[in-house]
Amino acid sequence: MAKTEGEIIIKKYANRRLYNTGTSTYVTLEDLAKMVKKGEEFTVQDAKSGDDITHSVLTQIIFEQESKTGNTLLPISFLRQLISYYGDQMQMVVPTFLEHSMKAFTDQQVQMREQMTRAFGDTPLSKNLQMPIQMMEEQVRRNTDMFRQAMQMFSPFAGQPSAPAAKKTDAKDIDELKEQLRSLQSRLDNL
């Protein structure tokens, strides 16, 4: 897919086909996922009405990615928590918080890679072992604490879990993340 000047418009037709107006080609959701990974910005419009349907198409890509592989990015506990915010007074705050959290996570991931490369060079050792996992676990803990504190600011008395329950949930989430990281590492090692 060639890059075009200006905004890339993808038209979605009634037959569910997607047309990239920049390259004059039909594309798939997988092609759009690749564009996202490359950092290409695009807008998806309904071909008939002209409505912006980018959000629903990106959500559809996530759904397909989640169901395509055995490894999911969205743990069930996160999905349940996210669903609970729909219709809640927190619904307006959550998107901004998630956007900032993902940006911070991405920035920290870049910093971690740079530190690993400086410390070990570009070797298999820098792409392996416990140190990156521990750094990731610590970041997950910080993000979880930050999210919990932000939610408490808006609703200080609602649904406070007891300390042991919160620690148990954190440990379970961390264990899930550890397992996912191990699985990814084994796949990388096999490549």
Side-chain angles (χ1 to χ4, degrees):
M1 258 178 268
K3 268 198 158 187
T4 59
E5 295 296 320
E7 183 180 26
I8 299 172
I9 304 292
I10 308 294
K11 300 254 182 195
K12 185 173 184 180
Y13 291 92
N15 63 2
R16 297 186 189 167
R17 293 202 63 188
L18 299 162
Y19 184 76
N20 184 332
T21 60
T23 60
S24 299
T25 58
Y26 285 100
V27 294
T28 63
L29 290 175
E30 191 171 319
D31 294 328
L32 294 182
K34 288 176 185 174
M35 290 172 67
V36 169
K37 289 176 183 180
K38 290 180 187 175
E40 296 179 31
E41 295 285 331
F42 58 85
T43 301
V44 183
Q45 295 177 349
D46 182 275
K48 187 175 183 179
S49 68
D51 292 342
D52 184 344
I53 56 171
T54 307
H55 186 273
S56 65
V57 170
L58 291 175
T59 304
Q60 188 177 359
I61 291 170
I62 291 169
F63 175 76
E64 284 198 5
Q65 292 293 317
E66 287 282 307
S67 61
K68 193 184 288 187
T69 65
N71 294 324
T72 60
L73 288 179
L74 304 173
I76 290 173
S77 59
F78 173 80
L79 292 172
R80 289 179 196 271
Q81 193 171 20
L82 190 61
I83 290 168
S84 73
Y85 289 121
Y86 282 96
D88 188 280
Q89 63 188 5
M90 296 305 299
Q91 183 174 344
M92 292 171 39
V93 178
V94 173
T96 303
F97 176 79
L98 290 175
E99 190 172 346
H100 289 297
S101 294
M102 286 304 293
K103 182 175 180 350
F105 179 77
T106 301
D107 293 346
Q108 290 166 355
Q109 183 181 20
V110 168
Q111 289 174 355
M112 185 176 74
R113 284 184 181 155
E114 289 171 357
Q115 289 172 351
M116 294 299 292
T117 301
R118 278 195 304 269
F120 300 109
D122 198 15
T123 66
L125 182 63
S126 67
K127 298 173 186 166
N128 201 352
L129 300 179
Q130 290 294 92
M131 188 173 203
I133 292 173
Q134 290 170 347
M135 293 170 80
M136 188 73 69
E137 288 173 357
E138 182 58 33
Q139 186 56 45
V140 168
R141 271 190 223 102
R142 281 189 295 227
N143 285 347
T144 302
D145 289 342
M146 193 169 64
F147 183 71
R148 193 173 292 122
Q149 289 170 0
M151 293 302 116
Q152 288 173 355
M153 285 178 13
F154 293 99
S155 177
F157 302 109
Q160 290 285 341
S162 64
K167 287 182 181 179
K168 185 177 180 182
T169 302
D170 288 348
K172 182 180 177 187
D173 290 342
I174 289 170
D175 288 342
E176 285 179 18
L177 285 171
K178 281 183 186 178
E179 186 56 39
Q180 289 175 3
L181 285 170
R182 284 188 194 103
S183 174
L184 285 172
Q185 185 60 50
S186 69
R187 284 184 180 178
L188 287 172
D189 290 344
N190 290 337
L191 292 176

